[in-house]
Amino acid sequence: MLQAVLRGEIAGLTPDAQEVEPGKWIAKGAEVSRTAKLRAPCFVGRNSIIGAHATLSGGTIIGADSYVGAGAQIDGSIIMPKSHVVEGSELTGQLASPFWAVETAIADGRSEGCEPLDAVRPLSSPQPATTVWRHLVRGVS
C-alpha cells in the first residue's frame, strides 16, 4: 500500500514530503548525495541522509532519521526510522529495522522468526553534514 501511495494510485493520499520528480519524494531536512540514484517510486524520510552512489528503487521507503551508506543498493524495501544501512549493502524486498528484518513477501505481522540483518544496524549517532558533504547534496528544507 505504501508503494501505491508513492505511485499516486490512492486518491487523496500523498507523502508528507516534496515530490522532487514524479514518484520521487524527499521529506524536510533530508539530504541526498548528488551522485545517488533515486528511481521512482521512492521516499526519503525526514532528516535522513542518502550517501554517494547509493541507489533507491522499486518502491523503496527510507524512514526518518536514517542513514544510507555510500554505494548501498536498496530495491523494493522499507527501512524503518533511525536505521543505518551499511555502505555497499544490497537489500531487495526487505522490511528492516536496526534490530530485525523480514522479507516483505512473507511479512504477515508476526514477530517470531525476525532476525537482524547484517546490512542494517542502529544509527549510533546522527551523521553530521559537514561543510564538504553539504556541497555534494541536494536537500529539502
Side-chain angles (χ1 to χ4, degrees):
M1 176 153 147
L2 294 173
Q3 286 86 358
V5 170
L6 295 179
R7 289 188 300 266
E9 296 172 356
I10 301 178
L13 291 180
T14 58
D16 182 17
Q18 180 180 350
E19 189 173 22
V20 295
E21 291 180 24
K24 299 176 185 179
W25 300 87
I26 300 178
K28 186 174 183 174
E31 296 180 347
V32 179
S33 168
R34 292 190 188 281
T35 62
K37 293 180 182 83
L38 304 182
R39 296 190 178 121
C42 64
F43 174 86
V44 178
R46 185 178 289 266
N47 300 320
S48 291
I49 296 175
I50 309 300
H53 305 289
T55 301
L56 308 181
S57 61
T60 289
I61 297 170
I62 305 297
D65 302 308
S66 292
Y67 177 79
V68 175
Q73 308 291 309
I74 306 175
D75 181 48
S77 297
I78 299 172
I79 307 301
M80 301 302 286
K82 298 186 182 192
S83 298
H84 176 163
V85 178
V86 178
E87 291 70 10
S89 299
E90 294 182 18
L91 285 85
T92 301
Q94 294 289 321
L95 174 57
S97 84
F99 308 104
W100 53 264
V102 64
E103 290 182 45
T104 56
I106 61 169
D108 62 7
R110 289 182 288 156
S111 59
E112 61 263 4
C114 299
E115 299 294 327
L117 189 67
D118 289 343
V120 181
R121 59 183 177 215
L123 189 60
S124 56
S125 63
Q127 304 294 317
T130 65
T131 335
V132 173
W133 174 251
R134 282 218 180 267
H135 82 280
L136 297 174
V137 299
R138 57 185 184 263
V140 175
S141 50

